[in-house]
Amino acid sequence: MGARTGQQYLDKLNAMTPELYVDGEKVTSKVAEHPAFRNNALTYAKLFDLQHDPAHRDVLTYESPTTGERVGTSFLVPRSEEDLKRRRAAFSVWAQYSNGFLGRTGDYMNSSLTALSTAKKFFSQADPVYGQRIAKYYEMARENDLLATHTLIPPQVNRSVSGSQQGGGNLSAKVVEEREDGIVVRGARMLATIAPIADELLVFPSTVLRGTPEDAPYSYAFAVPNDAPGLKYFCRAGLDHGRSHFDEPLASRFEEMDAVVVFDDVFVPNERVFLLGHPELCNAWYSETGAGALMTHQVVTRTLAKTEFYLGLASEIAAAIGIGGFQHIQQDLSELISYVEIEKAVLRAAEADGKLSEDGVFLPKWEVLNAARNWYPTKVSPRLTEIIRKFSASGLMALPGEADFEAEGRPDIDTYLQSATLPAKDRARLFKLAFDASVSSFAGRESLYEYFFFGDPVRMAGAQVNAYPREALRERVRELLARDE
């Protein structure tokens, strides 16, 4: 098949029979037509269509090494710095289309699969068959252009104990039976973003396992179709309230549903089991395979597009209401400009300083990307929305809806809600966008999502400190202290 069109994606989604629960309703068919998922599915369909747009085809796709058909560039195994740049160019097309508001586009998990498919040395520590299986799965996903989501952590029940201890060990998803032909999984996991509109669910290691015998049933990596028997998704309340693009410019396009995953004795055949047992390898899943590096390369490309969007939005607001000349406004715009340029520099440095792995994959420099993934969630992302709120101020609280411009009071709205450069309707459209980007329920979910994107920022910071090579720097300090001249 190769790279899919949007219609092919929607047709497959409608043909699937998942078990979804949303707003008290059970949904098992025609997911792409359901009001809770329709708009986001249509947006994802447009991403698939971009692969066939002559303006983007050569960036978003390349020739499959096995079939010769065009397949997604996010499946390209990087062998050089130029390959990393080629992958980033593809990431940028999709990221700029959504302005970074889609956090689970296919290129994210595709990047993980791409790295894992080549990590032969890693999988040989357990059994080479696992590496063979995931390489075959990667090829299947590439040739069929599948959209995958993944699920991350145990249910948040009792944070004072590990996932394997919650509910007597019966809450977090675990292997309850090992059969000759596969495994059976029971329990729950959080948090599967875009689960209702995906083709596949990847269940990879995420939390740190202690390596005790009790951890064995929770040590695994596997993939299942999104409508596998016994697989259930419990969705949060939707943030797309069915209003127009004028009234909800972001939520009506980019609302990505999140869901808790329940495995009700889900059978996973052997060919889809990529690791079983080996908690020490589960803990090293992202670092030793290169998956973390390729995934973060995609994420920083996306967050750059998002930061650029906020710089553009802040600049538009400043021009619209005549505040661009104030020094404190310019200081904030300067801050946003710095964020954009730093993120660009991070990407270039990560690519330029990349190295070939032992498996022959050219990976971006991890220390650079790791700095970005610690910096953006806690320092940059909160400031983006804060600056928009500051610039917009009470303008966010005095917004007529689209219907008001067709109502009897239109003349007053036109008179009193215009801006220095825009008529009232255009000003309202701009500030509706600012509202959806900074204070709406959609914006709140985005802020939470970005803050915890890679996990607990405190634990991430600790991991960065413990892994960073600081001894040579300490030695320089000691050498200076020892000088007697």
Side-chain angles (χ1 to χ4, degrees):
M1 173 185 287
R4 288 190 289 180
T5 65
Q7 192 58 55
Q8 287 173 321
Y9 159 70
L10 294 172
D11 288 345
K12 183 176 185 298
L13 183 58
N14 277 333
M16 297 180 75
T17 57
E19 186 173 347
L20 308 170
Y21 296 87
V22 61
D23 293 328
E25 179 186 359
K26 181 178 180 180
V27 180
T28 58
S29 64
K30 301 289 184 183
V31 172
E33 299 173 14
H34 191 279
F37 316 119
R38 179 178 58 234
N39 285 344
N40 195 221
L42 289 173
T43 295
Y44 269 75
K46 290 175 182 176
L47 298 181
F48 283 106
D49 279 336
L50 286 176
Q51 298 179 130
H52 301 273
D53 184 333
H56 302 296
R57 176 179 178 269
D58 291 339
V59 175
L60 287 174
T61 65
Y62 72 106
E63 289 188 2
S64 164
T66 56
T67 67
E69 293 190 82
R70 306 296 297 192
V71 294
T73 302
S74 56
F75 289 107
L76 174 68
V77 177
R79 304 295 185 183
S80 65
E81 180 184 344
E82 289 305 310
D83 283 344
L84 286 181
K85 292 178 179 178
R86 186 176 180 183
R87 287 173 56 84
R88 173 159 59 94
F91 299 156
S92 295
V93 173
W94 277 4
Q96 289 176 14
Y97 179 83
S98 71
N99 286 299
F101 285 102
L102 293 179
R104 281 295 183 269
T105 49
D107 46 5
Y108 178 65
M109 292 311 300
N110 293 352
S111 296
S112 175
L113 290 173
T114 298
L116 292 164
S117 71
T118 65
K120 296 179 176 59
K121 181 180 178 181
F122 172 82
F123 287 106
S124 67
Q125 297 175 79
D127 189 329
V129 72
Y130 292 127
Q132 296 164 11
R133 290 174 184 172
I134 203 161
K136 186 174 181 180
Y137 180 86
Y138 151 82
E139 184 173 347
M140 184 271 292
R142 182 189 69 200
E143 299 303 322
N144 291 279
D145 203 12
L146 297 181
L147 174 61
T149 185
H150 70 154
T151 182
L152 299 168
I153 56 177
Q156 192 187 76
V157 176
N158 182 355
R159 296 291 297 277
S160 67
V161 298
S162 69
S164 61
Q165 294 175 302
Q166 295 195 38
N170 295 318
L171 297 182
S172 184
K174 66 178 181 180
V175 177
V176 294
E177 184 181 358
E178 296 184 30
R179 298 174 9 188
E180 288 187 4
D181 55 348
I183 60 174
V184 177
V185 181
R186 182 186 304 156
R189 262 201 180 194
M190 298 163 58
L191 189 59
T193 300
I194 72 156
I197 64 167
D199 299 301
E200 293 273 322
L201 175 67
L202 305 181
V203 189
F204 288 169
S206 60
T207 54
V208 176
L209 298 166
R210 298 164 301 165
T212 64
E214 291 78 14
D215 281 331
Y218 306 91
S219 304
Y220 48 68
F222 61 86
V224 290
N226 230 22
D227 56 357
L231 189 65
K232 305 174 184 178
Y233 291 114
F234 292 86
C235 304
R236 60 162 168 77
L239 305 176
D240 172 6
H241 302 110
R243 305 189 70 183
S244 67
H245 291 330
F246 183 103
D247 287 322
E248 293 184 317
L250 298 177
S252 64
R253 295 178 171 97
F254 307 128
E255 146 76 327
E256 292 182 307
M257 181 59 72
D258 306 298
V260 174
V261 187
V262 172
F263 299 87
D264 189 1
D265 288 354
V266 175
F267 173 70
V268 185
N270 280 331
E271 61 268 20
R272 284 173 166 266
V273 177
F274 311 131
L275 194 61
L276 190 60
H278 304 281
E280 73 287 354
L281 295 183
C282 287
N283 290 340
W285 181 264
Y286 294 102
S287 59
E288 293 189 12
T289 62
L294 290 192
M295 294 167 79
T296 308
H297 188 225
Q298 185 272 346
V299 173
V300 177
T301 306
R302 177 185 65 81
T303 58
L304 168 60
K306 196 171 192 178
T307 308
E308 289 174 329
F309 168 82
Y310 276 92
L311 172 58
L313 178 58
S315 301
E316 282 291 290
I317 294 168
I321 57 177
I323 60 174
F326 297 126
Q327 288 186 330
H328 68 290
I329 297 297
Q330 292 177 350
Q331 183 181 38
D332 288 339
L333 290 172
S334 172
E335 181 182 344
L336 293 176
I337 291 169
S338 296
Y339 292 154
V340 166
E341 293 304 318
I342 289 170
E343 288 180 87
K344 289 180 182 178
V346 163
L347 287 166
R348 290 187 64 183
E351 293 161 0
D353 294 341
K355 292 182 179 179
L356 282 171
S357 71
E358 293 185 15
D359 293 302
V361 181
F362 195 86
L363 296 173
K365 187 174 178 63
W366 172 244
E367 288 81 4
V368 178
L369 293 176
N370 197 24
R373 76 175 195 144
N374 275 271
W375 170 69
Y376 181 87
T378 59
K379 302 298 191 296
V380 180
S381 181
R383 283 292 289 156
L384 302 181
T385 54
E386 183 180 3
I387 288 172
I388 297 303
R389 291 192 297 269
K390 176 181 177 180
F391 282 23
S392 304
S394 59
L396 295 175
M397 302 174 68
L399 284 174
E402 185 175 26
D404 293 311
F405 288 95
E406 306 301 326
E408 183 179 343
R410 170 75 183 265
D412 285 334
I413 293 176
D414 284 340
T415 299
Y416 298 114
L417 293 180
Q418 61 183 300
S419 80
T421 62
L422 298 174
K425 189 169 185 180
D426 289 343
R427 178 190 179 278
R429 181 181 284 110
L430 173 62
F431 273 69
K432 284 284 190 180
L433 179 58
F435 184 90
D436 224 8
S438 64
V439 297
S440 69
S441 54
F442 173 86
R445 182 265 177 195
E446 282 286 311
S447 295
L448 188 67
Y449 181 78
E450 296 290 9
Y451 189 81
F452 289 107
F453 188 93
F454 285 108
D456 178 3
V458 175
R459 291 179 65 180
M460 286 172 54
Q464 182 187 29
V465 168
N466 292 331
Y468 196 82
R470 293 177 291 145
E471 183 54 34
L473 305 180
R474 294 180 62 189
E475 180 60 28
R476 282 169 53 184
V477 174
R478 292 192 291 266
E479 287 177 359
L480 177 61
L481 292 173
R483 290 179 189 172
D484 55 10
E485 73 276 9

